[in-house]
Amino acid sequence: MTKINWNNNPEITDDLVKEHGLSVDEHKLMIKILGRKPTLTELGIFSVMWSEHCSYKSSKLHLKTLPTEAPWVIHGPGENAGVIDIGDNQAAIFKMESHNHPSYIEPYQGAATGVGGILRDVFTMGARPIANMNALRFGSPEHPKTRHLLSGVVEGIGGYGNCVGVPTIGGETNFHPSYNGNILVNAMAVGLADQDKIFLSAAAGVGNPVIYVGSKTGRDGIHGATMASAEFTEDNEEKRPTVQVGDPFTEKLLIEACIELMSTDMVVAIQDMGAAGLTSSSVEMASGGGVGFTINLDNVPQREENMTPYEMMLSESQERMLVVLKPDRVGEAEAIFKKWDLDFAVIGEITETGNLTLLFEGKTVADIPTQPLADNSPEYDRPWIKTEIQPTIDAFDIPIPIDFRDTLLKMINSSDLSSREWIWQQYDHQVMADTIQIPGGDAAVVRVHGTNKALAISTDCTPRYCYADPFEGGKQAVAETWRNLTSVGAQPLAITDCLNFGNPERPDIMGQFVGAIEGIREACTVLDYPVISGNVSLYNETNGTGIHPTPAIGGVGLLKDSSKMITIAPKNEGDVIMLIGECTGHLGCSLYLNIIEGREEGAPPPVDLTLERKNGDFVRTQIQKRIITACHDVSDGGLFVTLSEMAMASGHGMEITINNGDIPIHAYGFGEDQARYVISVSPDNVKGIITAARDANVAIKNLGIVQGNTVNIKNTFTITLNELLDAHSTWMPKYMSNKD
């Protein structure tokens, strides 16, 4: 960006507007709204509020089509996070957001502040955060930056989450060359609150004081939202100052202070200072309540000298909140924040003007209507072209491996399927002592403290499916989280999304986005699984090369009785292993095709949502009846990988007989057909569950029994558990220790 003397008021030219990430037409709209040319501070405010990251100007037309309502949804999109009813006057509050560009530039701080930001979205609504999740995508393991980025991101997530005292209980990590120049760091947080103590952001009450609390404002993070709304080029290092710096210890103090404040009746509205900092928080609070704010920037706590209005309004310094209080309670509130050693400053008041009016050194430096900034920002119907659907690959055209044993070992030792224990061991997943299913299963589970209930949480997406067919990929991402929650016995209730795509100004990329939205919409509708919050991250590309479309989905479900939760690990020798769902042997877009044949092509497996619902509802019912003792959904790598993962988790082998009929054995074993689960049941319950499945018109097949210390697929291969565990556990530690 051009070097500007921020203390002066330079001429606002089209070139300067473009450097702020806005178009010439948007410059004209600015002038029309103001009735004059903007000041530099006003240009900065418009640039961040109308950035893709804050305004969703390329996506909101399509986001409006998503289903967002259900009887159990208390607050859907539009608040800091979504809220669902979990019974007994309790609510679960959750959201997922991206911190992609900052994490590529500065992986530790980028990931750390991503965690801090999503935690604030949750506790600003009155919830105590109880769990962190993440969805991470890195470039090819061979890329020279991947190891450094992975190390920094994991350290940042652990460093912040561990220090702030909120457990990181699960997530996913994948590698693909499309992320070589633009990694994805998506952070999710879940909190709990009483339904009658949920706080919203809409300001109210002319004359009420506007309070700044938390850390002091510095120059870190200026134009972070604008940077997150543009693709990368060779000058990424120059963007390092736009990455925020986090302090988890201050965040912990802020959580406790805000929860104490919200236990009183003095709060009118509250909002965290996230992307675009003081600008977004003040504009969103004022526009949400249909009021104006007058802010005296001289009163903003600052940790650096000679900060200008432009810098203060655009700073994304972390651990800060904006609060509207009842006027007679300011002293009480100040005492709370002083006790927690946090800054507290009255910086303004609510007005009836509908404008954001900024004062600095006795002068008005900005005066902008808030409604056009927040609610009436530009909305674009970008041109798009439908993704060309790939042909379905015939399994008979894919060679059958000579040695199935070596094939399976190669797959589970790959970067795609190897254990992520090296990652999650760095996270404190047991702090707060309510985690009852640790990372490594289908879904993480955390107890609702003081009750018998538990929340199950899963993050999922299969970008290779989305690249081949965004519609089917979008459906599958939703269905995968639904299966994962079902697999532990939870009733799926709602999702949050984090939609990561390339440059929306390219019709092919916009077509990927539209297709994925259509798939998500259909899946959420059929599965009765609404979208209650989310985030869109566009311009994820470098020098014109976009990432694979990655609509990451975070799902949350409820276990009314946590004692009925199950894992992927069969418990007892002699238990019977069964398959729910039909096999067709779909190898297109499969990991088998990629890892063994070196091909990433073909149509992804189709997702029959009616079948997903029928099979999932059946499985969940049998879990709740305590008929099923272990369950694992069949996904990446297919049936043979699923069986191996269950055996490794349990420490028990399996004797399996495959009746593949006219389906090639490699397609039957490694195909990634959807709507399937592998379950274990006691011998006494086999007859009953077969009868129940047939009554429900659900396909069920007896595969074998839990026995011994090998996975023996009769007439195909035998592998010892030790061989499986060694192959599965070694790839990532070796990779991160820089050993070939």
Side-chain angles (χ1 to χ4, degrees):
M1 184 170 283
T2 302
K3 299 297 182 184
I4 295 172
N5 183 349
W6 305 113
N7 291 299
N8 295 326
N9 189 21
E11 181 184 358
I12 307 302
T13 64
D14 284 346
D15 286 342
L16 185 57
V17 169
K18 287 179 182 178
E19 290 182 9
H20 279 71
L22 299 176
S23 68
V24 172
D25 286 341
E26 288 166 341
H27 185 196
K28 292 176 182 177
L29 181 58
M30 252 187 285
I31 294 172
K32 182 179 179 181
I33 290 168
L34 294 171
R36 55 176 170 78
K37 286 190 173 184
T39 66
L40 178 64
T41 300
E42 290 170 334
L43 171 60
I45 290 170
F46 272 103
S47 75
V48 291
M49 290 306 299
W50 285 4
S51 68
E52 197 72 59
H53 190 76
C54 290
S55 74
Y56 297 160
K57 56 191 175 186
S58 297
S59 59
K60 58 186 173 183
L61 177 71
H62 303 284
L63 296 175
K64 293 173 185 177
T65 68
L66 294 172
T68 60
E69 297 179 349
W72 53 89
V73 174
I74 297 173
H75 291 290
E79 283 299 331
N80 287 288
V83 186
I84 57 173
D85 180 354
I86 60 169
D88 308 309
N89 192 42
Q90 291 182 307
I93 299 178
F94 59 94
K95 188 180 183 183
M96 181 159 56
E97 281 203 344
S98 61
H99 231 225
N100 303 335
H101 287 56
S103 299
Y104 185 82
I105 297 168
E106 180 52 64
Y108 182 93
Q109 289 295 351
T113 52
V115 173
I118 199 64
L119 286 172
R120 287 194 300 279
D121 278 337
V122 166
F123 76 74
T124 192
M125 297 193 69
R128 178 172 289 281
I130 62 166
N132 288 323
M133 297 280 286
N134 53 69
L136 312 176
R137 264 85 190 181
F138 297 95
S140 166
E142 292 75 33
H143 191 273
K145 274 196 157 185
T146 297
R147 187 181 287 104
H148 159 72
L149 292 169
L150 173 60
S151 176
V153 165
V154 170
E155 190 177 355
I157 292 170
Y160 204 100
N162 296 352
C163 290
V164 83
V166 178
T168 301
I169 61 173
E172 55 175 344
T173 303
N174 298 118
F175 302 86
H176 190 275
S178 74
Y179 307 105
N180 281 349
N182 197 126
I183 65 173
L184 302 183
V185 175
N186 297 170
M188 179 178 175
V190 182
L192 291 174
D194 291 339
Q195 292 181 27
D196 55 358
K197 294 180 181 177
I198 293 170
F199 290 81
L200 306 180
S201 60
V206 172
N208 279 345
V210 177
I211 314 295
Y212 173 119
V213 300
S215 292
K216 289 180 168 60
T217 293
R219 291 187 170 94
D220 53 321
I222 293 175
H223 270 299
T226 307
M227 180 268 290
S229 305
E231 64 181 89
F232 277 153
T233 56
E234 291 87 350
D235 66 348
N236 293 339
E237 291 301 313
E238 296 178 12
K239 296 178 179 177
R240 193 172 296 273
T242 63
V243 178
Q244 311 93 324
V245 178
D247 179 354
F249 298 105
T250 299
E251 180 102 339
K252 174 62 175 173
L253 298 177
L254 188 60
I255 290 173
E256 299 304 329
C258 286
I259 288 176
E260 182 176 344
L261 178 74
M262 290 185 285
S263 69
T264 71
D265 63 349
M266 64 181 77
V267 178
V268 176
I270 185 168
Q271 173 86 334
D272 78 295
M273 295 190 211
L278 185 54
T279 288
S280 63
S281 55
S282 56
V283 169
E284 289 168 6
M285 293 179 81
S287 66
V291 296
F293 274 19
T294 291
I295 293 178
N296 187 341
L297 295 174
D298 297 330
N299 295 342
V300 171
Q302 301 162 51
R303 67 168 183 261
E304 299 185 47
E305 294 182 355
N306 302 317
M307 290 192 71
T308 66
Y310 182 101
E311 292 170 326
M312 281 185 272
M313 292 305 295
L314 270 62
S315 167
E316 293 185 9
S317 295
Q318 297 292 286
E319 294 86 43
R320 302 179 300 159
M321 308 283 283
L322 204 60
V323 188
V324 175
L325 292 176
K326 295 177 181 178
D328 58 343
R329 310 296 291 277
V330 172
E332 293 174 66
E334 183 173 14
I336 291 173
F337 284 88
K338 293 301 182 185
K339 180 182 76 173
W340 291 101
D341 199 25
L342 295 166
D343 275 286
F344 180 100
V346 179
I347 64 169
E349 67 176 16
I350 294 180
T351 69
E352 58 187 8
T353 64
N355 284 13
L356 175 64
T357 305
L358 303 180
L359 308 177
F360 180 66
E361 295 180 348
K363 298 178 181 178
T364 299
V365 293
D367 194 16
I368 310 174
T370 61
Q371 207 73 27
L373 273 175
D375 301 329
N376 301 322
S377 58
E379 179 176 312
Y380 298 128
D381 185 2
R382 301 244 188 230
W384 61 275
I385 55 175
K386 187 175 180 179
T387 302
E388 183 179 349
I389 305 304
Q390 300 299 306
T392 299
I393 291 178
D394 190 332
F396 286 98
D397 293 335
I398 300 173
I400 296 177
I402 297 172
D403 190 328
F404 272 87
R405 178 181 172 282
D406 286 351
T407 297
L408 178 59
L409 289 174
K410 182 177 181 181
M411 289 186 67
I412 66 169
N413 184 243
S414 69
S415 61
D416 298 284
L417 291 170
S418 62
S419 169
R420 277 26 180 175
E421 187 175 9
W422 181 90
I423 294 174
W424 59 257
Q425 277 192 335
Q426 298 182 56
Y427 304 152
D428 189 341
H429 48 273
Q430 294 288 7
V431 66
M432 300 176 75
D434 281 321
T435 305
I436 55 176
Q437 185 152 173
I438 65 174
D442 279 330
V445 184
V446 61
R447 186 170 31 237
V448 177
H449 194 76
T451 75
N452 292 325
K453 296 180 293 189
L455 295 178
I457 312 164
S458 174
T459 59
D460 274 290
C461 182
T462 310
R464 63 183 185 278
Y465 293 174
C466 298
Y467 183 71
D469 187 337
F471 176 69
E472 289 295 331
K475 286 199 297 183
Q476 194 274 342
V478 174
E480 175 77 4
T481 67
W482 198 84
R483 285 199 302 270
N484 285 339
L485 300 177
T486 293
S487 294
V488 300
Q491 175 64 55
L493 292 178
I495 69 167
T496 181
D497 58 41
C498 197
L499 308 176
N500 307 272
F501 291 80
N503 185 343
E505 297 167 49
R506 291 169 47 192
D508 58 326
I509 299 297
M510 199 63 209
Q512 293 174 348
F513 183 84
V514 173
I517 288 287
E518 291 174 349
I520 292 169
R521 178 176 69 243
E522 184 167 314
C524 290
T525 300
V526 175
L527 298 175
D528 208 9
Y529 193 35
V531 184
I532 65 163
S533 62
N535 170 242
V536 177
S537 176
L538 302 177
Y539 296 94
N540 287 290
E541 57 181 72
T542 302
N543 296 326
T545 301
I547 62 164
H548 269 12
T550 311
I553 304 295
V556 173
L558 177 66
L559 280 149
K560 292 183 179 179
D561 183 351
S562 61
S563 71
K564 294 181 179 179
M565 181 201 76
I566 63 173
T567 72
I568 70 172
K571 295 179 180 178
N572 303 308
E573 290 221 355
D575 279 358
V576 177
I577 302 295
M578 310 186 83
L579 175 66
I580 302 292
E582 296 282 3
C583 287
T584 64
H586 191 102
L587 286 176
C589 276
S590 67
L591 285 182
Y592 174 86
L593 189 65
N594 190 338
I595 296 168
I596 304 304
E597 295 295 319
R599 298 161 57 187
E600 186 179 318
E601 58 189 75
V607 180
D608 183 332
L609 293 166
T610 302
L611 192 62
E612 289 280 3
R613 177 136 198 188
K614 180 175 66 173
N615 291 357
D617 287 348
F618 174 79
V619 166
R620 192 182 317 105
T621 298
Q622 300 306 310
I623 293 172
Q624 291 303 309
K625 290 181 176 179
R626 301 188 191 272
I627 302 298
I628 295 174
T629 58
C631 181
H632 194 6
D633 85 306
V634 183
S635 55
D636 281 346
L639 179 61
F640 289 168
V641 168
T642 301
L643 292 168
S644 299
E645 289 172 343
M646 295 178 78
M648 288 186 287
S650 69
H652 297 296
M654 296 178 180
E655 294 287 328
I656 302 294
T657 300
I658 296 295
N659 181 10
N660 55 302
D662 58 358
I663 301 172
I665 184 63
H666 65 318
Y668 196 94
F670 296 114
E672 296 179 4
D673 307 305
Q674 302 294 293
R676 294 187 297 161
Y677 303 79
V678 174
I679 62 173
S680 70
V681 298
S682 69
D684 294 341
N685 287 324
V686 170
K687 185 176 180 180
I689 197 170
I690 290 175
T691 300
R694 287 174 179 165
D695 289 345
N697 194 28
V698 167
I700 189 168
K701 185 175 291 188
N702 191 327
L703 295 179
I705 62 171
V706 177
Q707 181 177 295
N709 61 1
T710 67
V711 174
N712 178 20
I713 311 294
K714 293 180 181 178
N715 302 318
T716 307
F717 65 86
T718 300
I719 302 180
T720 69
L721 289 183
N722 285 339
E723 289 173 314
L724 284 171
L725 287 165
D726 183 62
H728 190 237
S729 64
T730 54
W731 181 83
M732 189 166 282
K734 285 183 178 179
Y735 176 71
M736 294 310 297
S737 65
N738 203 14
K739 294 178 181 178
D740 293 333

